[in-house]
Each structure stands twice: as C-alpha cells, then as structure tokens.
Amino acid sequence: MKKAMKKLMVAGVLCMAGAAFLAGCGSDSSSGGKQFLNIATGGTAGTYYPLGGALAEILNQNIKGMNASAQSTGASVANVNMLKDGSVDIAFIQNDIAYYAANGKEMFKDNKVDSLRGLAALYPETIQFVTTQDKGIKTIADLKGKKVAVGASGSGAEANARQILEAYGITYNDIDVQYLSFGEAVDALKDGNVDAGVVVAGFPTAAVQDLAANKSAAIVDIDPKISDQLMQKYPYYTKMVIPKGTYPGQTEDVNTVAVKCVIVGTTKLSDEMGGEIVKALYTHLDRMKAAHAVGKYITKDTALEGMSIQMNAGAEKYLKSN
C-alpha cells in the first residue's frame, strides 16, 4: 500500500512538472494554446497606431494560435522602456532611438538596453526643418541667431535637430532654443513666435500641410555634402528628397535626411516567431498600404536598410531569403 501511494505521489509530481512546462510554453488549457503578442505603437493621431492595428490583424489571420493586439503609447522612447520591462512584445520605434538604447547613448545614457532585437525596417521618417517664407531662411546656416523649436526635451527629434545643427557648426549657444513638440512648433510658426521648427514624420505631414494652407511654409534644404558627413558619424541616417509639389507653394525638390521606422522585439521573442512575424507581414503588404499612405514605402527589399541594432535571427534569415 505504501509503495502504491509513493508511486502515485511521484506520478503526481511528474504530472505537475509537465503541466508547468507546458504552461511556460504558452500551451496551457486556460489560454487555449494561444500566443499572446502586445504591439506598442504611438499616439492615435500618428502613423504607428494604424500600422500597428494592421500588423495585429495580419498576424492574427496568418499565424496559427496568434492573439496579437496593438496599443496606443507615447511612441519610440516609451516603447523601448515597455519592451525592457516586458509589458509589450514588439514595438514600432525610430531606428535612431533603437540605436541610442542599444548603445547607451543620448536619452539612454547609463541605461543601456541589451535585449533589443530588430525585426524589420519599414519606411523613412523625414527630418523637416520647417519655416515660413517671410523669415528669409534658405539654409540651415541661416538659423544662427534665430528662434528654433528643436523638439520636446529628450525626444528623438531634439537629438536629430542637435546633430544636424552640429554638422553645420551650430550649437544651442548660437540659437534661441525652444523645446516644443512638432505640433506646438507648427502652432508657434503660425503665430510668428518661432522662426523655424523641426518635424520628424513621413511626408506629406498633416501639420506642415496645415501650416502651408495658412501661411507660405518652406522646408529648409540640407546640403547633401553635410548629409554625407552626418551619415558617417551617425549610421542611422539616410538621404531623402522631398519632391516639389509635396506641400502647397513648394516649387523645388528639397534635400534632407531621414531616420527609419523599425519594428523591434527583444531576446524573449524566439527566432522562429520572429521569422513568422516578418513572413506574415511581407506577404500581406496590401493591408499595410491600406492602413496608411507610408505603407507604399514598406518593401522586403528595403527591410534591412537602416536597421541600427542586432537582428532577430529568424527575421534576418527570412529577409535575406529570395
């Protein structure tokens, strides 16, 4: 009788251990074998949010057992912190912010995040130095002595503004710095309270279109030679041309630079799942195009361009396949 009881106890322990193992794999009966995936995006009025919703839909329809959902967040910097604490599984982030986090620079100085892994680079987020025609600003060099809205303090846009100004030999001591978000910057331009503002977004940007409809807006050209120097120092920048006619009254192409929107996970995301996510995404790009105008820039051919951090091995393998 004692031997029988002992056998039953051993069997019970083994059964519990097996159940615990299955639960750790996300395969317990309470979840119905589903894979839950939280996707961090940005504000509801931005670009990340509709794209995140479209991505969740693609994953739910094309990966067995997937239960993905997109949530509105404070965008890139907030998303890195959410990835770090495990409250989200993948996120939309600017490639420069991902670079800062992975290398412990800028707003992540002394707070390096080693666990980030890239899944795909999506589309360019163009850096636009916006002014109005009446200010007489033709080049970045003309910003000396001017009131410039450089972005919210500690934001990616502010770091972009500082780096580009630095490439022209301009420091914050040479300008009247205004720490304003791009929406606030455009309002200040309308009111004549600043001379220029920095907007980082896919173009045409609604806030700039609105400014152009109310005043004669202008985008300041960045010299391609300066762009080359910038790209040598900061590997996340790419060259970009804003074609003439993008905004009302824009009669010439404008040279500038861009960072890229990237999808990022962490080391917690398996290589297998990373591969499945990018395969589902790049075989259903029509849904991303329907979600937002920038969807037309999302292609498998450019999915590794501007990736500023180590890749998820499964995603990289798929993206490098024919």
PDB file of all heavy atoms in Angstrom, residues 269-283:
ATOM      1  N   LEU A 269      11.603  37.068 -27.619  1.00  0.00           N
ATOM      2  CA  LEU A 269      10.888  36.612 -28.810  1.00  0.00           C
ATOM      3  C   LEU A 269      11.751  35.577 -29.532  1.00  0.00           C
ATOM      4  O   LEU A 269      12.892  35.857 -29.893  1.00  0.00           O
ATOM      5  CB  LEU A 269      10.608  37.794 -29.738  1.00  0.00           C
ATOM      6  CG  LEU A 269       9.659  37.536 -30.918  1.00  0.00           C
ATOM      7  CD1 LEU A 269       8.217  37.438 -30.428  1.00  0.00           C
ATOM      8  CD2 LEU A 269       9.776  38.651 -31.950  1.00  0.00           C
ATOM      9  N   SER A 270      11.219  34.401 -29.743  1.00  0.00           N
ATOM     10  CA  SER A 270      12.009  33.330 -30.356  1.00  0.00           C
ATOM     11  C   SER A 270      12.370  33.656 -31.802  1.00  0.00           C
ATOM     12  O   SER A 270      11.676  34.436 -32.462  1.00  0.00           O
ATOM     13  CB  SER A 270      11.242  32.003 -30.303  1.00  0.00           C
ATOM     14  OG  SER A 270      10.160  32.028 -31.227  1.00  0.00           O
ATOM     15  N   ASP A 271      13.441  33.051 -32.282  1.00  0.00           N
ATOM     16  CA  ASP A 271      13.839  33.233 -33.682  1.00  0.00           C
ATOM     17  C   ASP A 271      12.748  32.719 -34.613  1.00  0.00           C
ATOM     18  O   ASP A 271      12.461  33.317 -35.653  1.00  0.00           O
ATOM     19  CB  ASP A 271      15.157  32.503 -33.961  1.00  0.00           C
ATOM     20  CG  ASP A 271      16.337  33.126 -33.217  1.00  0.00           C
ATOM     21  OD1 ASP A 271      16.227  34.299 -32.813  1.00  0.00           O
ATOM     22  OD2 ASP A 271      17.356  32.437 -33.042  1.00  0.00           O
ATOM     23  N   GLU A 272      12.127  31.617 -34.225  1.00  0.00           N
ATOM     24  CA  GLU A 272      11.055  31.037 -35.045  1.00  0.00           C
ATOM     25  C   GLU A 272       9.893  32.018 -35.192  1.00  0.00           C
ATOM     26  O   GLU A 272       9.390  32.249 -36.289  1.00  0.00           O
ATOM     27  CB  GLU A 272      10.558  29.724 -34.418  1.00  0.00           C
ATOM     28  CG  GLU A 272       9.484  29.038 -35.248  1.00  0.00           C
ATOM     29  CD  GLU A 272       8.916  27.783 -34.583  1.00  0.00           C
ATOM     30  OE1 GLU A 272       9.343  27.451 -33.462  1.00  0.00           O
ATOM     31  OE2 GLU A 272       8.034  27.153 -35.186  1.00  0.00           O
ATOM     32  N   MET A 273       9.479  32.604 -34.058  1.00  0.00           N
ATOM     33  CA  MET A 273       8.369  33.554 -34.106  1.00  0.00           C
ATOM     34  C   MET A 273       8.766  34.816 -34.866  1.00  0.00           C
ATOM     35  O   MET A 273       7.963  35.382 -35.610  1.00  0.00           O
ATOM     36  CB  MET A 273       7.909  33.910 -32.689  1.00  0.00           C
ATOM     37  CG  MET A 273       6.712  34.871 -32.637  1.00  0.00           C
ATOM     38  SD  MET A 273       5.274  34.320 -33.620  1.00  0.00           S
ATOM     39  CE  MET A 273       4.756  32.901 -32.665  1.00  0.00           C
ATOM     40  N   GLY A 274      10.003  35.268 -34.711  1.00  0.00           N
ATOM     41  CA  GLY A 274      10.486  36.428 -35.462  1.00  0.00           C
ATOM     42  C   GLY A 274      10.359  36.208 -36.958  1.00  0.00           C
ATOM     43  O   GLY A 274       9.902  37.090 -37.702  1.00  0.00           O
ATOM     44  N   GLY A 275      10.742  35.026 -37.406  1.00  0.00           N
ATOM     45  CA  GLY A 275      10.625  34.671 -38.820  1.00  0.00           C
ATOM     46  C   GLY A 275       9.180  34.647 -39.284  1.00  0.00           C
ATOM     47  O   GLY A 275       8.845  35.121 -40.374  1.00  0.00           O
ATOM     48  N   GLU A 276       8.295  34.094 -38.435  1.00  0.00           N
ATOM     49  CA  GLU A 276       6.871  34.006 -38.796  1.00  0.00           C
ATOM     50  C   GLU A 276       6.241  35.391 -38.900  1.00  0.00           C
ATOM     51  O   GLU A 276       5.424  35.652 -39.788  1.00  0.00           O
ATOM     52  CB  GLU A 276       6.118  33.174 -37.751  1.00  0.00           C
ATOM     53  CG  GLU A 276       6.376  31.673 -37.851  1.00  0.00           C
ATOM     54  CD  GLU A 276       5.358  30.881 -37.037  1.00  0.00           C
ATOM     55  OE1 GLU A 276       4.147  31.044 -37.294  1.00  0.00           O
ATOM     56  OE2 GLU A 276       5.781  30.119 -36.151  1.00  0.00           O
ATOM     57  N   ILE A 277       6.635  36.287 -37.998  1.00  0.00           N
ATOM     58  CA  ILE A 277       6.072  37.645 -37.996  1.00  0.00           C
ATOM     59  C   ILE A 277       6.424  38.381 -39.285  1.00  0.00           C
ATOM     60  O   ILE A 277       5.550  38.955 -39.949  1.00  0.00           O
ATOM     61  CB  ILE A 277       6.560  38.439 -36.755  1.00  0.00           C
ATOM     62  CG1 ILE A 277       5.880  37.909 -35.493  1.00  0.00           C
ATOM     63  CG2 ILE A 277       6.280  39.936 -36.918  1.00  0.00           C
ATOM     64  CD1 ILE A 277       6.471  38.430 -34.193  1.00  0.00           C
ATOM     65  N   VAL A 278       7.707  38.370 -39.662  1.00  0.00           N
ATOM     66  CA  VAL A 278       8.096  39.113 -40.871  1.00  0.00           C
ATOM     67  C   VAL A 278       7.565  38.447 -42.141  1.00  0.00           C
ATOM     68  O   VAL A 278       7.210  39.131 -43.101  1.00  0.00           O
ATOM     69  CB  VAL A 278       9.621  39.355 -40.958  1.00  0.00           C
ATOM     70  CG1 VAL A 278      10.075  40.295 -39.863  1.00  0.00           C
ATOM     71  CG2 VAL A 278      10.411  38.075 -40.926  1.00  0.00           C
ATOM     72  N   LYS A 279       7.467  37.112 -42.131  1.00  0.00           N
ATOM     73  CA  LYS A 279       6.900  36.431 -43.300  1.00  0.00           C
ATOM     74  C   LYS A 279       5.439  36.844 -43.491  1.00  0.00           C
ATOM     75  O   LYS A 279       5.009  37.159 -44.611  1.00  0.00           O
ATOM     76  CB  LYS A 279       6.997  34.910 -43.137  1.00  0.00           C
ATOM     77  CG  LYS A 279       6.453  34.153 -44.337  1.00  0.00           C
ATOM     78  CD  LYS A 279       6.546  32.640 -44.149  1.00  0.00           C
ATOM     79  CE  LYS A 279       5.970  31.911 -45.350  1.00  0.00           C
ATOM     80  NZ  LYS A 279       6.014  30.432 -45.166  1.00  0.00           N
ATOM     81  N   ALA A 280       4.679  36.851 -42.399  1.00  0.00           N
ATOM     82  CA  ALA A 280       3.266  37.259 -42.480  1.00  0.00           C
ATOM     83  C   ALA A 280       3.152  38.702 -42.957  1.00  0.00           C
ATOM     84  O   ALA A 280       2.329  39.038 -43.811  1.00  0.00           O
ATOM     85  CB  ALA A 280       2.595  37.086 -41.118  1.00  0.00           C
ATOM     86  N   LEU A 281       4.016  39.576 -42.407  1.00  0.00           N
ATOM     87  CA  LEU A 281       3.981  40.992 -42.781  1.00  0.00           C
ATOM     88  C   LEU A 281       4.258  41.187 -44.262  1.00  0.00           C
ATOM     89  O   LEU A 281       3.482  41.848 -44.979  1.00  0.00           O
ATOM     90  CB  LEU A 281       5.012  41.758 -41.945  1.00  0.00           C
ATOM     91  CG  LEU A 281       5.324  43.199 -42.376  1.00  0.00           C
ATOM     92  CD1 LEU A 281       4.084  44.073 -42.274  1.00  0.00           C
ATOM     93  CD2 LEU A 281       6.451  43.777 -41.542  1.00  0.00           C
ATOM     94  N   TYR A 282       5.368  40.624 -44.758  1.00  0.00           N
ATOM     95  CA  TYR A 282       5.801  40.924 -46.126  1.00  0.00           C
ATOM     96  C   TYR A 282       5.049  40.136 -47.200  1.00  0.00           C
ATOM     97  O   TYR A 282       5.194  40.428 -48.381  1.00  0.00           O
ATOM     98  CB  TYR A 282       7.319  40.737 -46.252  1.00  0.00           C
ATOM     99  CG  TYR A 282       8.046  41.888 -45.599  1.00  0.00           C
ATOM    100  CD1 TYR A 282       8.588  41.762 -44.326  1.00  0.00           C
ATOM    101  CD2 TYR A 282       8.126  43.132 -46.221  1.00  0.00           C
ATOM    102  CE1 TYR A 282       9.208  42.836 -43.700  1.00  0.00           C
ATOM    103  CE2 TYR A 282       8.740  44.207 -45.600  1.00  0.00           C
ATOM    104  CZ  TYR A 282       9.281  44.054 -44.343  1.00  0.00           C
ATOM    105  OH  TYR A 282       9.874  45.125 -43.726  1.00  0.00           O
ATOM    106  N   THR A 283       4.213  39.201 -46.782  1.00  0.00           N
ATOM    107  CA  THR A 283       3.347  38.537 -47.769  1.00  0.00           C
ATOM    108  C   THR A 283       1.925  39.114 -47.745  1.00  0.00           C
ATOM    109  O   THR A 283       1.062  38.653 -48.464  1.00  0.00           O
ATOM    110  CB  THR A 283       3.300  37.002 -47.528  1.00  0.00           C
ATOM    111  OG1 THR A 283       3.011  36.734 -46.155  1.00  0.00           O
ATOM    112  CG2 THR A 283       4.619  36.353 -47.903  1.00  0.00           C
TER     113      THR A 283
END
